[in-house]
Amino acid sequence: MIKSTEKPGRAALSSVTFLAAATLLACSVSPQTSVAPETTPRSYLGFDRNIYPGDAALPILRKTFVFTSYWLSPSPGEKTNTWLGKREFLRSLGFGFLVLYRGRESGELKNEAAAKRNGTQDAKNAVAAAKSEGFASGTIIFLDIEEGGRLPANYHVYLGAWSEELTRAGYHPGVYCSGMPVKEEPGVTITTADDIRNDAASRDITIWAYNDFCPPSPGCAFPQNPPPPSSSGIGYAAVWQFAQSPRRKEFTAHCPAKYASDGNCYAPGDTAHAWFLDVNSAASSDPSSGAHQQ
């Protein structure tokens, strides 16, 4: 707003007084300035993939995406980690990061003692890998949880130990988990994200939710300003994975943006369909805060 300036009264002024008043008035009135319009918070587009797509793929994918996943452990179903050693190359291209570590399956957490032990050890391993790859303290490390619905009690113990150890080491805990409602009984549904959020030991964990059901998902789409993570149905999510490869037909039949004929999602620049991927939106171009130097 323009600040108003009070003018002298209408009483008669001597020529000297009038000149002084006019000079004062001229000096006190600042030029009119415009007020920048309020901007709507935007979202950013990123991809994640279990297998590193190769150095040649990244400049092409960078034309569409501003951030990428980055595994600190072998991804689910894999025995080796193909992402190791690639952080600086990705960073040189301007990518932000979603830093990931593979979580345990609930069957591995036989009792509370095992849950605590595994949670602490997994966090230590994740921290060691993060430091080795150049991810500074403060980086959010997302624990990959593939199970949906309500988690067993021992899994919450595991998450509590993971979160505590990661925080102690100077990193921030996050989880990748389902944001899709699961019916527990008539009239009662639960999402894994809410189950984690409602547990006292996990409330400070950053949520990366997946929900590829259309709607709310736009399907295999690459909008310049993608829908915000809150549109996933998980209002507190920091990241939303809205497309998966391969697509799940029971959830994606009504997607406005279609998947490829083989059921996968490919970036617009990937004309050869060489790198199927999952698509995400985030409120930050660097959702793990992993691009800054140590």
Side-chain angles (χ1 to χ4, degrees):
M1 294 178 63
I2 301 170
K3 184 177 181 180
S4 62
T5 304
E6 190 176 15
K7 295 183 179 181
R10 294 181 181 274
L13 299 171
S14 68
S15 58
V16 175
T17 305
F18 180 83
L19 180 60
T23 302
L24 177 63
L25 181 62
C27 293
S28 63
V29 178
S30 59
Q32 185 173 358
T33 57
S34 59
V35 178
E38 292 186 7
T39 56
T40 303
R42 65 159 298 178
S43 299
Y44 299 86
L45 203 63
F47 79 94
D48 69 279
R49 198 170 190 273
N50 284 356
I51 305 299
Y52 183 71
D55 291 354
L58 274 304
I60 298 171
L61 295 176
R62 182 65 183 85
K63 294 177 181 178
T64 302
F65 303 107
V66 299
F67 61 87
T68 173
S69 61
Y70 195 98
W71 284 92
L72 296 176
S73 66
S75 57
E78 301 296 326
K79 295 182 178 180
T80 59
N81 183 2
T82 55
W83 290 84
L84 294 182
K86 298 299 182 180
R87 178 182 178 268
E88 282 308 309
F89 175 61
L90 289 163
R91 191 171 171 274
S92 72
L93 295 175
F95 277 105
F97 295 96
L98 282 169
V99 182
L100 275 160
Y101 189 88
R102 183 170 64 187
R104 303 271 177 162
E105 295 181 1
S106 57
E108 298 178 72
L109 310 174
K110 301 295 185 181
N111 51 52
E112 184 174 327
K116 286 182 178 178
R117 182 175 63 253
N118 287 327
T120 300
Q121 188 58 56
D122 285 354
K124 288 181 176 179
N125 292 344
V127 167
K131 290 181 177 179
S132 177
E133 291 299 295
F135 290 105
S137 60
T139 298
I140 302 171
I141 302 176
F142 290 93
L143 187 72
D144 176 73
I145 302 175
E146 299 289 333
E147 301 175 37
R150 193 179 299 277
L151 298 171
N154 284 339
Y155 213 102
H156 286 287
V157 173
Y158 169 70
L159 282 176
W162 154 272
S163 178
E164 182 178 353
E165 179 61 29
L166 215 61
T167 302
R168 187 197 65 77
Y171 290 80
H172 186 84
V175 294
Y176 163 85
C177 64
S178 174
M180 305 181 72
V182 173
K183 183 180 289 187
E184 291 191 304
E185 57 184 84
V188 178
T189 61
I190 185 67
T191 68
T192 309
D194 283 343
D195 184 41
I196 293 170
R197 179 82 163 189
N198 293 337
D199 188 87
S202 305
R203 287 178 185 161
D204 193 39
I205 291 179
T206 300
I207 299 293
W208 170 9
Y210 68 82
N211 183 0
D212 56 339
F213 190 89
C214 299
S217 170
C220 180
F222 311 95
Q224 288 187 342
N225 189 18
S230 58
S231 295
S232 66
I234 305 299
Y236 49 83
V239 188
W240 174 22
Q241 184 190 77
F242 59 79
Q244 295 185 0
S245 292
R247 79 180 182 96
R248 301 188 291 175
K249 294 181 180 179
E250 66 271 31
F251 303 132
T252 60
H254 302 292
C255 291
K258 303 303 181 184
Y259 289 73
S261 59
D262 65 358
N264 291 318
C265 189
Y266 298 95
D270 182 10
T271 55
H273 287 185
W275 318 296
F276 61 82
L277 41 76
D278 304 332
V279 187
N280 305 268
S281 71
S284 168
S285 60
D286 184 24
S288 273
S289 299
H292 59 285
Q293 295 284 54
Q294 284 183 321

